[in-house]
Amino acid sequence: QVQMAEYGGGSAQAGGSLKLTCQLSGDTYGSYCWAWFRQGPGTSREAVAMINSDERTTYADSAKGRFTISRDKAKNTFYLQMNSLKVEDSGVYYCASRAKYLYCGSGDFTEAGFPFRGRGTQVTVSS
């Protein structure tokens, strides 16, 4: 199965930027949809952005206009560029993948539809 590892978390000031990286490894054949989720203190995990193998993207309302998801097919890597960060963006960010052969449009943009996840990387935004 596919394995995923996140990099790039850290601290930033409100209004600043961070870029997260998710490195895919293992059995990536047939993997067509990847996403970022986050979990803030005392909150449930929420969707942030997802990208399909044809580069179509979907964003949560909280991420629209500020975050950009992209991928590098050759490197088996995808990214989350986060700009204009807010304190409420703080949390643990997870990259995730749908099951094999499932495109982004095959289900809801919820954690249940992305069975493969990394361990997460902490993002802390201070005012």
Side-chain angles (χ1 to χ4, degrees), residues 21-125:
T21 298
C22 182
Q23 180 67 56
L24 307 177
S25 60
D27 183 11
T28 61
Y29 180 80
S31 181
Y32 296 150
C33 175
W34 310 274
W36 289 96
F37 290 82
R38 70 184 180 190
Q39 186 166 17
T43 67
S44 56
R45 204 167 296 180
E46 63 174 353
V48 177
M50 66 178 176
I51 184 166
N52 204 54
S53 55
D54 62 1
E55 311 295 331
R56 281 184 290 180
T57 57
T58 302
Y59 294 93
D61 288 343
S62 60
K64 287 178 182 177
R66 300 188 301 124
F67 294 2
T68 302
I69 188 171
S70 62
R71 74 179 186 120
D72 186 327
K73 182 179 179 181
K75 294 182 178 179
N76 261 342
T77 302
F78 67 102
Y79 309 95
L80 185 69
Q81 176 67 48
M82 303 186 292
N83 298 328
S84 302
L85 283 164
K86 303 176 181 180
V87 172
E88 50 265 41
D89 292 322
S90 297
V92 179
Y93 282 70
Y94 302 86
C95 59
S97 173
R98 283 215 194 277
K100 269 197 173 189
Y101 311 121
L102 294 182
Y103 293 93
C104 289
S106 65
D108 292 337
F109 189 11
T110 63
E111 184 182 10
F114 290 81
F116 304 111
R117 290 185 288 274
R119 292 186 177 184
T121 186
Q122 177 71 43
V123 170
T124 302
V125 183

